[in-house]
Protein backbone atom coordinates (compact mmCIF):
# COMPACT_ATOMS: atom_id res chain seq x y z
CA UNK A 1 0.00 0.00 0.00
CA UNK A 2 1.35 3.42 -0.88
CA UNK A 3 2.23 5.56 2.08
CA UNK A 4 0.54 8.99 2.22
CA UNK A 5 2.54 12.05 1.30
CA UNK A 6 4.34 13.93 4.05
CA UNK A 7 2.08 16.82 4.96
CA UNK A 8 4.78 19.35 4.19
CA UNK A 9 5.00 18.03 0.64
CA UNK A 10 1.42 17.79 -0.48
CA UNK A 11 -0.02 16.83 -3.84
CA UNK A 12 0.17 20.43 -4.94
CA UNK A 13 3.95 20.50 -4.77
CA UNK A 14 4.13 17.58 -7.19
CA UNK A 15 0.99 17.55 -9.32
CA UNK A 16 0.89 21.33 -9.45
CA UNK A 17 -0.73 24.31 -7.81
CA UNK A 18 -2.35 27.43 -9.08
CA UNK A 19 -3.96 30.45 -7.48
CA UNK A 20 -5.64 28.08 -5.06
CA UNK A 21 -2.38 26.41 -4.04
CA UNK A 22 -1.59 25.36 -0.51
CA UNK A 23 1.38 26.83 1.31
CA UNK A 24 2.61 23.40 2.32
CA UNK A 25 6.05 23.78 0.74
CA UNK A 26 6.61 27.52 1.07
CA UNK A 27 5.72 27.49 4.77
CA UNK A 28 7.68 24.35 5.59
CA UNK A 29 10.70 26.50 6.36
CA UNK A 30 8.89 27.88 9.41
CA UNK A 31 9.45 24.48 11.01
CA UNK A 32 7.06 21.89 12.34
CA UNK A 33 5.11 23.11 15.30
CA UNK A 34 5.63 26.80 14.54
CA UNK A 35 2.53 28.69 15.63
CA UNK A 36 1.02 31.15 13.20
CA UNK A 37 -0.23 33.88 15.53
CA UNK A 38 -1.43 36.37 12.95
CA UNK A 39 -4.95 35.39 11.87
CA UNK A 40 -4.49 37.21 8.55
CA UNK A 41 -1.46 35.33 7.24
CA UNK A 42 -0.36 36.05 3.68
CA UNK A 43 -2.12 34.18 0.91
CA UNK A 44 -0.08 31.37 -0.61
CA UNK A 45 1.52 32.20 -3.96
CA UNK A 46 1.37 29.93 -6.97
CA UNK A 47 4.12 27.32 -7.08
CA UNK A 48 3.94 25.19 -10.21
CA UNK A 49 1.63 24.48 -13.09
CA UNK A 50 -1.42 22.54 -11.88
CA UNK A 51 -2.74 19.38 -13.49
CA UNK A 52 -5.98 20.35 -15.21
CA UNK A 53 -8.44 17.76 -16.47
CA UNK A 54 -8.76 16.85 -19.23
CA UNK A 55 -5.00 16.62 -19.69
CA UNK A 56 -5.25 15.90 -23.44
CA UNK A 57 -8.57 16.60 -25.19
CA UNK A 58 -9.97 14.20 -27.78
CA UNK A 59 -7.58 11.38 -27.04
CA UNK A 60 -9.46 8.22 -26.09
CA UNK A 61 -7.96 4.98 -24.74
CA UNK A 62 -5.15 6.94 -23.03
CA UNK A 63 -1.87 5.24 -22.22
CA UNK A 64 0.54 7.13 -19.98
CA UNK A 65 3.83 5.81 -18.64
CA UNK A 66 6.78 7.22 -16.75
CA UNK A 67 10.03 5.89 -18.19
CA UNK A 68 13.35 5.35 -16.45
CA UNK A 69 14.57 8.61 -17.99
CA UNK A 70 12.08 10.41 -15.73
CA UNK A 71 9.89 11.58 -18.59
CA UNK A 72 6.22 10.86 -19.21
CA UNK A 73 5.15 9.37 -22.53
CA UNK A 74 1.54 9.53 -23.69
CA UNK A 75 -0.43 7.97 -26.53
CA UNK A 76 -4.09 7.30 -27.29
CA UNK A 77 -6.65 6.85 -30.04
CA UNK A 78 -7.22 9.89 -32.25
CA UNK A 79 -10.79 10.62 -33.47
CA UNK A 80 -9.80 9.88 -37.08
CA UNK A 81 -8.51 6.39 -36.11
CA UNK A 82 -5.80 6.75 -38.75
CA UNK A 83 -2.45 7.18 -36.98
CA UNK A 84 -0.36 6.63 -33.85
CA UNK A 85 0.77 9.67 -31.89
CA UNK A 86 3.17 10.21 -28.99
CA UNK A 87 3.68 13.08 -26.56
CA UNK A 88 6.43 13.51 -24.02
CA UNK A 89 6.85 15.80 -21.02
CA UNK A 90 8.86 16.02 -17.83
CA UNK A 91 5.57 16.47 -15.94
CA UNK A 92 2.02 15.22 -16.23
CA UNK A 93 0.75 18.79 -16.34
CA UNK A 94 2.97 19.52 -19.35
CA UNK A 95 1.46 16.85 -21.60
CA UNK A 96 -1.40 19.02 -22.80
CA UNK A 97 0.91 21.65 -24.27
CA UNK A 98 3.65 19.30 -25.46
CA UNK A 99 4.16 18.75 -29.17
CA UNK A 100 2.57 15.67 -30.66
CA UNK A 101 4.62 13.41 -32.92
CA UNK A 102 3.00 11.13 -35.49
CA UNK A 103 5.12 7.96 -35.33
CA UNK A 104 3.07 5.75 -37.64
CA UNK A 105 0.27 6.33 -40.17
CA UNK A 106 -1.94 3.63 -41.64
CA UNK A 107 -1.42 2.71 -45.30
CA UNK A 108 -3.89 4.00 -47.87
CA UNK A 109 -5.00 0.49 -48.82
CA UNK A 110 -4.75 -3.10 -47.70
CA UNK A 111 -3.91 -4.65 -44.36
CA UNK A 112 -3.92 -2.13 -41.47
CA UNK A 113 -5.62 0.44 -43.69
CA UNK A 114 -8.76 0.48 -41.48
CA UNK A 115 -9.39 1.70 -37.94
CA UNK A 116 -6.31 2.19 -35.74
CA UNK A 117 -7.21 1.75 -32.09
CA UNK A 118 -5.77 1.91 -28.59
CA UNK A 119 -1.98 2.15 -29.01
CA UNK A 120 0.14 1.35 -25.94
CA UNK A 121 3.82 2.20 -25.47
CA UNK A 122 6.08 -0.20 -23.56
CA UNK A 123 9.81 -0.53 -23.04
CA UNK A 124 11.44 -3.91 -22.45
CA UNK A 125 14.31 -6.02 -23.77
CA UNK A 126 16.17 -2.81 -24.59
CA UNK A 127 13.59 -1.52 -27.10
CA UNK A 128 10.40 0.50 -27.31
CA UNK A 129 7.27 -1.32 -28.47
CA UNK A 130 3.85 0.05 -29.44
CA UNK A 131 0.99 -2.43 -29.45
CA UNK A 132 -2.07 -1.36 -31.40
CA UNK A 133 -5.13 -2.75 -33.16
CA UNK A 134 -5.78 -2.19 -36.86
CA UNK A 135 -8.49 -3.07 -39.34
CA UNK A 136 -8.11 -3.42 -43.11
CA UNK A 137 -9.02 -0.82 -45.70
CA UNK A 138 -11.61 -3.13 -47.27
CA UNK A 139 -13.01 -4.14 -43.87
CA UNK A 140 -12.29 -1.52 -41.22
CA UNK A 141 -13.64 -3.78 -38.47
CA UNK A 142 -11.37 -6.70 -39.36
CA UNK A 143 -9.29 -5.62 -36.39
CA UNK A 144 -6.18 -7.55 -35.33
CA UNK A 145 -3.22 -6.89 -33.00
CA UNK A 146 0.12 -5.54 -34.24
CA UNK A 147 3.34 -4.23 -32.72
CA UNK A 148 6.01 -1.83 -33.92
CA UNK A 149 9.41 -1.57 -32.28
CA UNK A 150 12.53 0.60 -32.18
CA UNK A 151 15.87 0.56 -30.40
CA UNK A 152 16.10 4.37 -30.47
CA UNK A 153 16.42 6.20 -27.18
CA UNK A 154 13.64 8.70 -27.92
CA UNK A 155 10.41 7.08 -29.18
CA UNK A 156 8.98 10.42 -30.33
CA UNK A 157 11.72 10.90 -32.94
CA UNK A 158 12.52 7.27 -33.67
CA UNK A 159 12.41 5.44 -36.98
CA UNK A 160 10.12 2.52 -36.22
CA UNK A 161 10.44 -0.97 -37.65
CA UNK A 162 7.55 -2.25 -39.82
CA UNK A 163 4.49 -3.57 -37.97
CA UNK A 164 4.42 -7.24 -37.01
CA UNK A 165 1.19 -9.15 -36.48
CA UNK A 166 0.67 -10.72 -33.05
CA UNK A 167 -1.10 -14.01 -33.72
CA UNK A 168 -3.43 -15.35 -31.05
CA UNK A 169 -5.50 -18.54 -30.82
CA UNK A 170 -7.96 -17.51 -33.53
CA UNK A 171 -8.08 -15.23 -36.57
CA UNK A 172 -10.93 -13.14 -35.17
CA UNK A 173 -11.61 -9.61 -33.95
CA UNK A 174 -8.90 -8.83 -31.37
CA UNK A 175 -7.65 -5.62 -29.81
CA UNK A 176 -6.43 -3.75 -26.72
CA UNK A 177 -3.23 -5.69 -26.17
CA UNK A 178 -1.14 -4.84 -23.13
CA UNK A 179 1.94 -6.53 -21.75
CA UNK A 180 3.48 -6.96 -18.31
CA UNK A 181 6.26 -8.92 -16.64
CA UNK A 182 5.87 -10.96 -13.49
CA UNK A 183 8.24 -13.36 -11.76
CA UNK A 184 10.53 -13.48 -14.77
CA UNK A 185 7.78 -14.17 -17.32
CA UNK A 186 6.35 -11.68 -19.79
CA UNK A 187 2.63 -11.89 -20.52
CA UNK A 188 0.25 -10.50 -23.12
CA UNK A 189 -3.30 -9.53 -22.12
CA UNK A 190 -5.90 -8.65 -24.75
CA UNK A 191 -9.58 -8.66 -25.74
CA UNK A 192 -10.93 -10.95 -28.45
CA UNK A 193 -14.31 -11.93 -29.88
CA UNK A 194 -15.82 -14.92 -28.14
CA UNK A 195 -18.79 -17.23 -28.45
CA UNK A 196 -22.00 -15.47 -27.46
CA UNK A 197 -20.34 -12.18 -26.52
CA UNK A 198 -18.54 -9.37 -28.28
CA UNK A 199 -15.21 -9.80 -26.51
CA UNK A 200 -13.62 -11.59 -23.57
CA UNK A 201 -10.19 -11.16 -21.95
CA UNK A 202 -7.33 -13.57 -22.64
CA UNK A 203 -3.79 -13.96 -21.28
CA UNK A 204 -0.74 -15.87 -22.54
CA UNK A 205 2.97 -15.91 -21.87
CA UNK A 206 5.36 -14.50 -24.50
CA UNK A 207 8.68 -15.56 -26.01
CA UNK A 208 9.17 -12.33 -27.97
CA UNK A 209 7.34 -9.01 -28.38
CA UNK A 210 5.19 -10.55 -31.12
CA UNK A 211 5.07 -14.25 -30.23
CA UNK A 212 3.00 -16.13 -27.66
CA UNK A 213 4.66 -19.04 -25.88
CA UNK A 214 1.59 -20.60 -24.27
CA UNK A 215 -1.96 -21.37 -25.19
CA UNK A 216 -4.20 -18.35 -24.47
CA UNK A 217 -6.37 -18.61 -21.37
CA UNK A 218 -9.69 -16.83 -21.05
CA UNK A 219 -9.84 -15.04 -17.67
CA UNK A 220 -12.96 -12.85 -18.02
CA UNK A 221 -16.25 -13.15 -19.90
CA UNK A 222 -18.94 -10.42 -19.85
CA UNK A 223 -21.92 -11.99 -18.08
CA UNK A 224 -23.00 -9.44 -15.46
CA UNK A 225 -25.57 -6.71 -16.04
CA UNK A 226 -23.02 -3.87 -15.99
CA UNK A 227 -20.84 -5.71 -18.53
CA UNK A 228 -23.56 -6.30 -21.09
CA UNK A 229 -25.31 -2.96 -21.59
CA UNK A 230 -25.47 -2.18 -25.30
CA UNK A 231 -22.77 -4.74 -26.06
CA UNK A 232 -21.36 -7.73 -24.19
CA UNK A 233 -17.83 -6.45 -23.73
CA UNK A 234 -14.72 -7.00 -21.64
CA UNK A 235 -11.84 -4.98 -23.13
CA UNK A 236 -9.06 -2.51 -22.41
CA UNK A 237 -7.13 -4.45 -19.73
CA UNK A 238 -4.48 -2.65 -17.66
CA UNK A 239 -2.21 -4.12 -14.99
CA UNK A 240 -1.02 -2.78 -11.65
CA UNK A 241 0.88 -4.93 -9.15
CA UNK A 242 0.59 -3.97 -5.48
CA UNK A 243 0.24 -5.52 -2.04
CA UNK A 244 0.97 -9.11 -3.07
CA UNK A 245 -1.62 -9.13 -5.83
CA UNK A 246 -1.97 -8.64 -9.57
CA UNK A 247 -4.84 -6.30 -10.41
CA UNK A 248 -6.26 -6.09 -13.93
CA UNK A 249 -8.74 -3.32 -14.60
CA UNK A 250 -10.89 -3.67 -17.69
CA UNK A 251 -13.72 -1.84 -19.42
CA UNK A 252 -17.20 -3.14 -20.06
CA UNK A 253 -20.41 -2.46 -22.03
CA UNK A 254 -21.01 0.02 -24.86
CA UNK A 255 -18.83 3.11 -25.27
CA UNK A 256 -21.59 5.51 -24.20
CA UNK A 257 -22.51 6.43 -20.60
CA UNK A 258 -22.78 2.70 -19.82
CA UNK A 259 -19.02 2.26 -20.25
CA UNK A 260 -17.40 1.41 -16.93
CA UNK A 261 -14.44 -0.31 -15.29
CA UNK A 262 -14.30 -3.66 -13.51
CA UNK A 263 -11.42 -5.36 -11.73
CA UNK A 264 -9.80 -8.80 -11.78
CA UNK A 265 -7.49 -9.91 -8.97
CA UNK A 266 -4.97 -12.73 -8.67
CA UNK A 267 -2.50 -13.56 -5.92
CA UNK A 268 1.08 -12.79 -6.95
CA UNK A 269 2.06 -16.42 -6.30
CA UNK A 270 -0.81 -17.87 -8.32
CA UNK A 271 -0.58 -19.42 -11.76
CA UNK A 272 -1.62 -16.50 -13.94
CA UNK A 273 -2.37 -18.88 -16.79
CA UNK A 274 -5.05 -20.63 -14.74
CA UNK A 275 -8.44 -18.97 -15.10
CA UNK A 276 -9.34 -20.07 -11.57
CA UNK A 277 -6.62 -17.76 -10.22
CA UNK A 278 -8.62 -14.67 -11.20
CA UNK A 279 -11.55 -13.16 -9.29
CA UNK A 280 -13.84 -10.51 -10.78
CA UNK A 281 -15.53 -7.77 -8.77
CA UNK A 282 -19.33 -8.22 -8.69
CA UNK A 283 -19.89 -4.52 -9.42
CA UNK A 284 -17.94 -1.92 -11.42
CA UNK A 285 -15.18 -0.08 -9.59
CA UNK A 286 -15.40 3.08 -11.73
CA UNK A 287 -18.44 4.34 -13.60
CA UNK A 288 -20.52 7.31 -14.75
CA UNK A 289 -21.00 9.99 -12.09
CA UNK A 290 -23.90 12.42 -12.39
CA UNK A 291 -22.47 14.36 -9.47
CA UNK A 292 -19.17 15.16 -11.18
CA UNK A 293 -20.74 15.22 -14.67
CA UNK A 294 -18.46 12.53 -16.07
CA UNK A 295 -19.87 9.88 -18.37
CA UNK A 296 -18.58 6.56 -19.64
CA UNK A 297 -15.18 6.52 -17.90
CA UNK A 298 -12.98 3.69 -19.03
CA UNK A 299 -10.12 2.22 -21.02
CA UNK A 300 -7.70 3.20 -18.31
CA UNK A 301 -4.02 2.80 -17.64
CA UNK A 302 -1.85 3.39 -14.58
CA UNK A 303 1.23 5.47 -13.89
CA UNK A 304 2.84 7.32 -10.99
CA UNK A 305 3.04 11.05 -10.37
CA UNK A 306 6.20 13.03 -9.74
CA UNK A 307 6.11 11.97 -6.08
CA UNK A 308 5.68 8.28 -6.88
CA UNK A 309 1.98 8.11 -5.99
CA UNK A 310 -0.23 5.86 -8.10
CA UNK A 311 -2.25 7.66 -10.76
CA UNK A 312 -5.30 6.48 -12.67
CA UNK A 313 -5.43 7.46 -16.37
CA UNK A 314 -8.71 7.13 -18.30
CA UNK A 315 -11.05 8.75 -20.79
CA UNK A 316 -14.54 10.11 -20.20
CA UNK A 317 -17.04 12.53 -21.69
CA UNK A 318 -18.40 15.66 -20.01
CA UNK A 319 -21.95 14.98 -21.25
CA UNK A 320 -24.20 11.94 -21.09
CA UNK A 321 -25.44 11.59 -24.66
CA UNK A 322 -22.79 11.12 -27.34
CA UNK A 323 -23.13 12.90 -30.64
CA UNK A 324 -24.35 10.20 -33.03
CA UNK A 325 -22.57 6.85 -32.86
CA UNK A 326 -20.57 6.82 -29.59
CA UNK A 327 -17.60 5.34 -31.44
CA UNK A 328 -17.30 8.47 -33.56
CA UNK A 329 -18.04 11.09 -30.93
CA UNK A 330 -14.59 12.73 -30.61
CA UNK A 331 -14.97 14.02 -27.07
CA UNK A 332 -13.64 11.18 -25.01
CA UNK A 333 -10.90 13.18 -23.31
CA UNK A 334 -7.80 11.83 -21.53
CA UNK A 335 -7.89 12.43 -17.79
CA UNK A 336 -5.87 11.60 -14.68
CA UNK A 337 -6.48 11.44 -10.94
CA UNK A 338 -4.88 9.95 -7.87
CA UNK A 339 -5.49 6.23 -7.35
CA UNK A 340 -6.16 5.54 -3.68
CA UNK A 341 -5.86 2.28 -1.76
CA UNK A 342 -8.22 0.72 0.75
CA UNK A 343 -7.20 -0.73 4.10
CA UNK A 344 -7.48 -4.24 2.64
CA UNK A 345 -4.86 -3.43 0.00
CA UNK A 346 -7.23 -3.16 -2.96
CA UNK A 347 -7.44 -0.08 -5.18
CA UNK A 348 -10.05 2.59 -4.49
CA UNK A 349 -10.90 4.21 -7.82
CA UNK A 350 -13.44 6.60 -6.31
CA UNK A 351 -15.39 8.61 -8.89
CA UNK A 352 -14.22 10.37 -12.06
CA UNK A 353 -13.44 13.75 -10.48
CA UNK A 354 -14.49 15.97 -13.37
CA UNK A 355 -13.07 18.90 -15.26
CA UNK A 356 -10.62 21.28 -13.65
CA UNK A 357 -7.75 21.08 -11.22
CA UNK A 358 -7.30 17.84 -9.30
CA UNK A 359 -9.21 17.73 -6.00
CA UNK A 360 -7.87 17.39 -2.48
CA UNK A 361 -9.08 15.91 0.77
CA UNK A 362 -9.04 18.13 3.85
CA UNK A 363 -7.90 16.50 7.09
CA UNK A 364 -8.79 18.36 10.27
CA UNK A 365 -5.86 19.48 12.42
CA UNK A 366 -8.15 19.22 15.44
CA UNK A 367 -9.13 15.61 14.65
CA UNK A 368 -6.23 13.80 12.97
CA UNK A 369 -7.45 11.12 10.61
CA UNK A 370 -10.83 12.80 10.11
CA UNK A 371 -11.60 14.32 6.71
CA UNK A 372 -14.23 16.78 5.61
CA UNK A 373 -17.11 14.93 3.99
CA UNK A 374 -20.47 16.08 2.63
CA UNK A 375 -23.92 14.70 2.02
CA UNK A 376 -24.73 17.17 -0.73
CA UNK A 377 -26.01 19.78 1.71
CA UNK A 378 -23.78 20.13 4.76
CA UNK A 379 -20.14 19.33 5.50
CA UNK A 380 -19.05 17.29 8.49
CA UNK A 381 -15.93 15.28 9.41
CA UNK A 382 -15.42 11.53 9.29
CA UNK A 383 -12.55 9.13 9.87
CA UNK A 384 -13.95 6.71 7.27
CA UNK A 385 -15.56 8.78 4.50
CA UNK A 386 -16.21 7.51 1.01
CA UNK A 387 -13.56 8.81 -1.34
CA UNK A 388 -15.80 10.82 -3.68
CA UNK A 389 -17.71 12.52 -0.85
CA UNK A 390 -14.46 13.68 0.75
CA UNK A 391 -12.87 15.23 -2.35
CA UNK A 392 -13.04 18.98 -2.94
CA UNK A 393 -11.75 21.10 -5.79
CA UNK A 394 -10.12 24.36 -4.72
CA UNK A 395 -10.40 26.67 -7.71
CA UNK A 396 -9.55 30.33 -8.38
CA UNK A 397 -12.30 32.61 -7.09
CA UNK A 398 -13.95 35.63 -8.58
CA UNK A 399 -14.43 38.02 -5.64
CA UNK A 400 -10.91 39.46 -5.45
CA UNK A 401 -7.34 38.64 -6.32
CA UNK A 402 -6.13 35.38 -4.74
CA UNK A 403 -9.63 34.33 -3.67
CA UNK A 404 -10.74 30.71 -4.08
CA UNK A 405 -13.95 28.73 -4.21
CA UNK A 406 -14.36 25.22 -2.83
CA UNK A 407 -16.38 22.77 -4.93
CA UNK A 408 -17.21 19.22 -3.80
CA UNK A 409 -16.48 16.96 -6.77
CA UNK A 410 -19.88 15.27 -6.38
CA UNK A 411 -21.80 18.55 -6.66
CA UNK A 412 -20.34 20.11 -9.79
CA UNK A 413 -21.46 23.73 -10.10
CA UNK A 414 -22.28 24.00 -6.38
CA UNK A 415 -19.83 25.35 -3.83
CA UNK A 416 -19.29 25.82 -0.12
CA UNK A 417 -21.30 28.94 0.53
CA UNK A 418 -21.75 31.03 3.66
CA UNK A 419 -25.35 31.55 4.67
CA UNK A 420 -25.47 33.64 7.86
CA UNK A 421 -23.20 31.67 10.21
CA UNK A 422 -23.68 28.34 8.48
CA UNK A 423 -21.89 26.74 5.56
CA UNK A 424 -24.04 25.12 2.91
CA UNK A 425 -23.40 23.50 -0.47
CA UNK A 426 -25.26 25.63 -2.99
CA UNK A 427 -24.95 27.31 -6.36
CA UNK A 428 -22.83 30.43 -6.23
CA UNK A 429 -24.49 33.83 -6.15
CA UNK A 430 -22.46 37.01 -5.72
CA UNK A 431 -19.29 36.44 -3.71
CA UNK A 432 -20.61 34.53 -0.71
CA UNK A 433 -18.59 31.45 -1.62
CA UNK A 434 -15.23 33.23 -1.88
CA UNK A 435 -12.38 32.59 0.55
CA UNK A 436 -8.76 33.57 0.93
CA UNK A 437 -6.60 30.50 1.42
CA UNK A 438 -3.97 31.19 4.06
CA UNK A 439 -1.33 29.33 5.98
CA UNK A 440 -2.77 27.14 8.71
CA UNK A 441 -3.62 29.07 11.88
CA UNK A 442 -2.36 26.26 14.12
CA UNK A 443 0.19 24.63 11.82
CA UNK A 444 1.97 26.23 8.85
CA UNK A 445 1.92 22.87 7.05
CA UNK A 446 -1.84 23.21 6.83
CA UNK A 447 -4.22 25.79 5.37
CA UNK A 448 -7.04 27.96 6.67
CA UNK A 449 -9.84 29.60 4.70
CA UNK A 450 -10.86 33.15 5.58
CA UNK A 451 -14.19 34.44 4.30
CA UNK A 452 -13.97 37.33 1.83
CA UNK A 453 -17.36 38.65 2.96
CA UNK A 454 -16.64 38.21 6.67
CA UNK A 455 -13.00 39.26 7.20
CA UNK A 456 -11.52 37.58 10.25
CA UNK A 457 -13.96 34.66 10.04
CA UNK A 458 -12.73 31.22 8.97
CA UNK A 459 -14.13 27.86 8.00
CA UNK A 460 -13.88 25.72 11.13
CA UNK A 461 -15.31 22.57 12.65
CA UNK A 462 -17.63 22.94 15.62
CA UNK A 463 -19.24 19.86 17.10
CA UNK A 464 -18.25 17.99 13.96
CA UNK A 465 -19.99 20.37 11.52
CA UNK A 466 -18.25 22.85 9.23
CA UNK A 467 -19.25 26.41 9.99
CA UNK A 468 -17.80 29.92 9.74
CA UNK A 469 -16.73 32.00 12.73
CA UNK A 470 -13.90 34.10 14.10
CA UNK A 471 -11.02 31.88 15.12
CA UNK A 472 -10.04 32.48 18.72
CA UNK A 473 -6.96 31.05 20.36
CA UNK A 474 -8.74 27.77 21.07
CA UNK A 475 -10.22 27.57 17.58
CA UNK A 476 -7.06 27.63 15.50
CA UNK A 477 -6.80 23.87 15.15
CA UNK A 478 -10.47 23.58 14.19
CA UNK A 479 -9.84 26.16 11.45
CA UNK A 480 -6.77 24.39 10.09
CA UNK A 481 -6.78 21.60 7.51
CA UNK A 482 -4.09 19.51 5.88
CA UNK A 483 -4.46 19.02 2.13
CA UNK A 484 -4.08 15.44 0.97
CA UNK A 485 -4.41 14.35 -2.65
Amino acid sequence: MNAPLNRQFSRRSFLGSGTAAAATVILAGAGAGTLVTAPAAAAAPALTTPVINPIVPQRADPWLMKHTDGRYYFTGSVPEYDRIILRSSSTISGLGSSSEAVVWTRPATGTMGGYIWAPELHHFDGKWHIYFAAGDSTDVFRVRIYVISTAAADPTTAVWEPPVRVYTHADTFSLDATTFEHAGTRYLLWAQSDTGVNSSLFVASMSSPSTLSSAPVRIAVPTLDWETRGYKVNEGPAVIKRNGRIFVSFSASATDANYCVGLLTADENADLLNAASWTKTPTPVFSTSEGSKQYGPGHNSFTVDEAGNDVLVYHARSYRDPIGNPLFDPNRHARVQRLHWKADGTPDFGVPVGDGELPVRLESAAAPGAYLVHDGTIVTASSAPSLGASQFRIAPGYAKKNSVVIEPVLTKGRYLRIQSSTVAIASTAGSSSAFIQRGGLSDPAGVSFESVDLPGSYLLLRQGVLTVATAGKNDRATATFFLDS
Side-chain angles (χ1 to χ4, degrees):
M1 185 180 304
N2 285 3
L5 287 175
N6 183 299
R7 285 174 178 158
Q8 295 191 30
F9 295 93
S10 77
R11 173 205 56 110
R12 293 179 179 265
S13 66
F14 297 107
L15 286 188
S17 57
T19 305
T24 50
V25 175
I26 294 297
L27 294 176
T34 301
L35 182 65
V36 177
T37 56
L47 297 177
T48 57
T49 304
V51 173
I52 303 293
N53 273 323
I55 58 166
V56 185
Q58 295 193 342
R59 293 294 178 266
D61 313 322
W63 176 264
L64 179 58
M65 64 169 288
K66 188 177 186 182
H67 188 44
T68 54
D69 62 4
R71 295 188 64 81
Y72 289 94
Y73 293 90
F74 171 90
T75 187
S77 297
V78 301
E80 299 81 7
Y81 300 140
D82 64 351
R83 63 193 186 276
I84 298 174
I85 56 90
L86 288 179
R87 294 182 183 221
S88 175
S89 173
S90 60
T91 63
I92 293 176
S93 63
L95 286 167
S97 60
S98 65
S99 59
E100 189 169 271
V102 176
V103 300
W104 187 83
T105 302
R106 69 185 181 189
T109 61
T111 304
M112 297 178 291
Y115 294 141
I116 308 301
W117 287 340
E120 285 194 10
L121 177 69
H122 297 266
H123 192 276
F124 59 91
D125 295 344
K127 299 178 75 171
W128 292 100
H129 310 276
I130 296 179
Y131 290 88
F132 65 99
D136 295 345
S137 62
T138 56
D139 185 353
V140 293
F141 285 105
R142 190 182 183 278
V143 174
R144 304 294 187 268
I145 298 168
Y146 300 87
V147 61
I148 56 175
S149 304
T150 181
D154 184 350
T156 66
T157 60
V159 175
W160 291 80
E161 299 167 9
V164 177
R165 168 99 179 257
V166 180
Y167 287 92
T168 64
H169 58 290
D171 186 22
T172 58
F173 183 86
S174 49
L175 71 166
D176 295 351
T178 191
T179 183
F180 70 101
E181 184 276 336
H182 182 64
T185 298
R186 178 157 294 280
Y187 296 89
L188 191 77
L189 259 170
W190 72 97
Q192 188 152 357
S193 62
D194 199 9
T195 303
V197 300
N198 296 97
S199 61
S200 296
L201 296 183
F202 294 82
V203 64
S205 60
M206 305 179 74
S207 58
S208 79
S210 61
T211 307
L212 305 184
S213 59
S214 71
V217 175
R218 187 176 64 182
I219 61 173
V221 183
T223 58
L224 303 174
D225 172 71
W226 53 272
E227 301 176 291
T228 57
R229 294 174 181 171
Y231 294 98
K232 298 177 180 180
V233 167
N234 283 173
E235 65 182 16
V239 178
I240 186 168
K241 300 191 293 182
R242 296 287 185 274
N243 308 320
R245 279 163 280 190
I246 313 294
F247 299 103
V248 175
S249 60
F250 64 93
S251 297
S253 289
T255 56
D256 53 18
N258 291 307
Y259 209 51
C260 59
V261 176
L263 191 69
L264 300 172
T265 304
D267 186 273
E268 66 178 359
N269 297 314
D271 178 3
L272 303 186
L273 297 180
N274 181 348
S277 298
W278 298 94
T279 302
K280 181 191 292 186
T281 54
T283 58
V285 295
F286 200 56
S287 57
T288 286
S289 170
E290 287 287 356
S292 63
K293 306 301 181 187
Q294 293 293 287
Y295 302 93
H299 205 118
N300 78 280
S301 58
F302 301 101
T303 189
V304 294
D305 65 20
E306 291 86 332
N309 300 298
D310 290 319
V311 170
L312 174 67
V313 187
Y314 62 99
H315 72 232
R317 293 186 180 90
S318 298
Y319 47 87
R320 170 173 285 278
D321 298 321
I323 302 169
N325 185 330
L327 186 63
F328 302 106
D329 179 305
N331 295 317
R332 291 183 292 173
H333 305 316
R335 307 170 184 276
V336 300
Q337 63 190 62
R338 176 79 178 272
L339 180 70
H340 290 257
W341 294 88
K342 300 177 183 178
D344 64 1
T346 61
D348 189 346
F349 289 73
V351 300
V353 297
D355 296 346
E357 188 174 348
L358 295 183
V360 295
R361 306 174 82 201
L362 293 94
E363 181 185 8
S364 171
Y371 292 86
L372 295 188
V373 62
H374 72 91
D375 63 2
T377 303
I378 63 171
V379 180
T380 57
S382 171
S383 59
S386 66
L387 181 55
S390 62
Q391 291 178 306
F392 298 82
R393 177 172 290 106
I394 303 173
Y398 48 83
K400 61 187 295 186
K401 185 178 181 180
N402 296 326
S403 71
V404 301
V405 292
I406 304 172
E407 179 189 41
V409 299
L410 290 181
T411 61
K412 185 172 177 60
R414 301 171 64 205
Y415 302 85
L416 299 194
R417 182 181 178 189
I418 298 172
Q419 297 178 335
S420 298
S421 62
T422 64
V423 176
I425 299 172
S427 57
T428 301
S431 61
S432 59
S433 62
F435 302 89
I436 301 297
Q437 181 171 309
R438 304 192 181 281
L441 297 184
S442 68
D443 189 330
V447 297
S448 295
F449 297 95
E450 182 183 8
S451 169
V452 168
D453 289 348
L454 302 172
S457 293
Y458 289 80
L459 292 178
L460 51 80
L461 279 170
R462 279 190 175 163
Q463 298 181 338
V465 178
L466 191 69
T467 187
V468 61
T470 56
K473 181 178 179 180
N474 296 328
D475 296 315
R476 288 171 180 162
T478 65
T480 299
F481 305 91
F482 300 109
L483 301 186
D484 190 11
S485 58

